Amino acid sequence: MRTQVAIIGAGPAGLLLSHLLERRGIDAVVLESRDRAHCERRQRAGMLEQGTVDVLRAAGAGERLDREGLTHHGLELRFGGAGHRIALSELTGGRTVTIYAQTEIVKDLIALSPEGRIRFEAEVLEVDPASPRVTYRENGVLRTLDCDLVAGCDGFHGVSRAAVPRAKVFERDYPFAWLGVLADVPPSTEELVYCHHDRGFALHSLRSPEVSRLYLQVSPDEELAAWPDERIWSELRTRFATRDGWTLKDGPIREKAITPMRSFVTEPMRHDNLFLAGDAAHIVPPTGAKGLNLAVSDVTALASAIAARYEGGSSALLDGYSSARLRRVWRAEHFSYWMTTLLHTDHSADAFARRLQLSHLEYVVSSKAAATTLAENYVGFAHDGP
């Protein structure tokens, strides 16, 4: 088989890239090791930057997003028993964020894909960036896909990252994890609440008007069995409690999982004809909600670079892809690190460090300049692309 662009991975990054290329008349094939049902139920982030929403709309994948997505103009930082609103739209010239689950984006993009573009249950075994060629197993048969370019959108554990020789790796593990729950209960808030508490961080998010997404800071070695539903709700009520008597609604918990937190970047994001995007190249702690948005920004820029090669014969954007993307990646890495250390409780820290953290929180909510820095990073910057 032959195509112009081989895309490894049918997550949001790979699917969106294939769709952006198709709209420019460029052939692409997506190879995905899992089946369609698995791809459509993988739970991941659900906060979309303004730029991500704009790209999905321009790609023709915005109909259900506009109908069901929850647009937010602000968020709340809560600490010391009091809430402080960060007016995102007022501080960023009207930009917003939208709550819309990654699973729904995947469903929308798969539904838009023509027959044969996505090959599910096609396990990629090897990538040859020089040829370029991808070897994969489908229905027990070894096959090869020859192409001009390869886009590695197959995540941290995929084969693409390993195909970049002599890569530099930068990483940091954090001394805490998130216990995340999906609960069948209407949200207790209209905007996200990021809460700092002596017992640990908590986050109240939304999935829909009927479903809430909530998180608790726990130890990375915490056992899920140690957290029955009632303990989760009790701890959430304690951390979210305010002096004015704010009430947290509770209800049946549908799903729960513990996710360690880490930062990771691999450099470069290109080797020969292989280009990395999304989690294959970088991971951020979820506090800043940058993971999915950064992946969308990657493939939007990559689609423009590939189109420039085929439409105008120029490889300049492809040649500059890695360096340009890494500048954006490190900005997102810093913001995610900053939000994480600002809001989480390091139980090994001394009293001096705790007071510094509280002082920083008070500065962010009392200074327009500091609040603007948070707001413009949170809503995101314009994506580079078509």
Side-chain angles (χ1 to χ4, degrees):
M1 222 169 61
R2 177 169 178 82
T3 188
Q4 290 176 296
V5 182
I7 301 172
I8 307 174
L15 292 170
L16 178 59
L17 177 60
S18 73
H19 201 59
L20 292 173
L21 293 177
E22 187 270 338
R23 292 172 73 88
R24 304 291 285 264
I26 299 167
D27 293 330
V29 172
V30 181
L31 301 174
E32 167 58 48
S33 63
R34 304 298 186 96
D35 62 21
R36 176 173 178 170
H38 177 87
C39 294
E40 292 185 338
R41 67 172 179 262
R42 283 187 290 207
Q43 295 290 338
R44 294 291 189 274
M47 198 289 286
L48 309 183
E49 296 174 354
Q50 177 80 64
T52 297
V53 172
D54 293 343
V55 168
L56 290 170
R57 285 172 177 159
E63 180 182 350
R64 198 158 66 95
L65 164 62
D66 286 335
R67 187 172 66 250
E68 301 178 10
L70 305 175
T71 300
H72 288 186
H73 297 272
L75 61 81
E76 180 182 319
L77 296 185
R78 185 177 297 186
F79 59 94
H84 309 267
R85 186 173 187 267
I86 304 296
L88 299 175
S89 297
E90 293 178 19
L91 296 168
T92 61
R95 295 174 72 79
T96 63
V97 295
T98 300
I99 304 298
Y100 189 67
Q102 175 175 312
T103 50
E104 305 312 304
I105 296 173
V106 169
K107 291 174 185 176
D108 294 342
L109 291 171
I110 289 176
L112 288 171
S113 299
E115 186 72 25
R117 182 193 295 171
I118 309 169
R119 304 184 77 90
F120 293 105
E121 298 182 83
E123 180 188 7
V124 174
L125 305 175
E126 185 180 0
V127 179
D128 182 349
S131 296
R133 177 181 299 119
V134 177
T135 303
Y136 64 101
R137 182 185 292 114
E138 185 179 36
N139 298 323
V141 179
L142 283 180
R143 306 179 188 275
T144 58
L145 176 60
D146 293 309
C147 54
D148 300 328
L149 304 168
V150 181
C153 306
D154 50 344
F156 180 80
H157 298 290
V159 301
S160 299
R161 184 171 61 85
V164 179
R166 299 177 298 279
K168 295 181 180 179
V169 171
F170 305 85
E171 56 188 328
R172 170 162 295 183
D173 292 320
Y174 295 86
F176 26 74
W178 275 12
L179 166 58
V181 302
L182 197 63
D184 291 320
V185 57
S188 305
T189 175
E190 294 183 355
E191 296 179 337
L192 275 68
V193 178
Y194 286 78
C195 180
H196 169 76
H197 192 277
D198 287 344
R199 294 178 63 87
F201 168 79
L203 170 62
H204 191 316
S205 183
L206 307 83
R207 180 55 56 85
S208 75
E210 297 80 31
V211 179
S212 298
R213 187 76 164 159
L214 303 108
Y215 300 90
L216 283 168
Q217 174 189 337
V218 298
S219 171
D221 58 1
E222 196 77 31
E223 295 289 339
L224 196 58
W227 288 89
D229 292 6
E230 183 47 47
R231 183 187 178 191
I232 292 173
W233 288 117
S234 176
E235 191 64 28
L236 286 166
R237 285 191 290 268
T238 297
R239 297 188 193 184
F240 281 123
T242 61
R243 292 190 295 270
D244 62 5
W246 183 84
T247 302
L248 175 69
K249 302 172 186 175
D250 61 24
I253 292 178
R254 182 194 309 173
E255 298 176 11
K256 64 177 79 171
I258 293 177
T259 305
M261 301 182 69
R262 65 191 304 243
S263 298
F264 174 89
V265 180
T266 185
E267 298 183 3
M269 290 173 60
R270 176 195 182 174
H271 176 62
D272 283 349
N273 298 295
L274 168 65
F275 299 82
L276 303 181
D279 286 359
H282 41 73
I283 294 173
V284 292
T287 324
K290 293 294 131 191
L292 170 61
N293 295 290
L294 202 53
V296 169
S297 183
D298 284 347
V299 298
T300 305
L302 184 56
S304 284
I306 293 173
R309 169 180 168 167
Y310 284 113
E311 295 171 359
S314 172
S315 296
L317 290 178
L318 283 174
D319 293 340
Y321 170 77
S322 180
S323 59
R325 293 312 308 152
L326 285 169
R327 286 194 293 273
R328 176 68 67 87
V329 166
W330 280 110
R331 172 87 300 275
E333 290 283 351
H334 178 263
F335 176 68
S336 300
Y337 164 84
W338 179 78
M339 285 282 283
T340 301
T341 54
L342 175 70
L343 292 163
H344 287 72
T345 300
D346 184 351
H347 296 290
S348 67
D350 59 20
F352 184 83
R354 298 277 188 94
R355 293 294 293 175
L356 286 179
Q357 185 180 27
L358 183 59
S359 174
H360 196 171
L361 280 164
E362 291 171 342
Y363 171 63
V364 169
V365 301
S366 60
S367 163
K368 183 176 180 179
T372 300
T373 295
L374 188 159
E376 70 176 7
N377 280 273
Y378 194 83
V379 302
F381 302 95
H383 291 343
D384 304 318

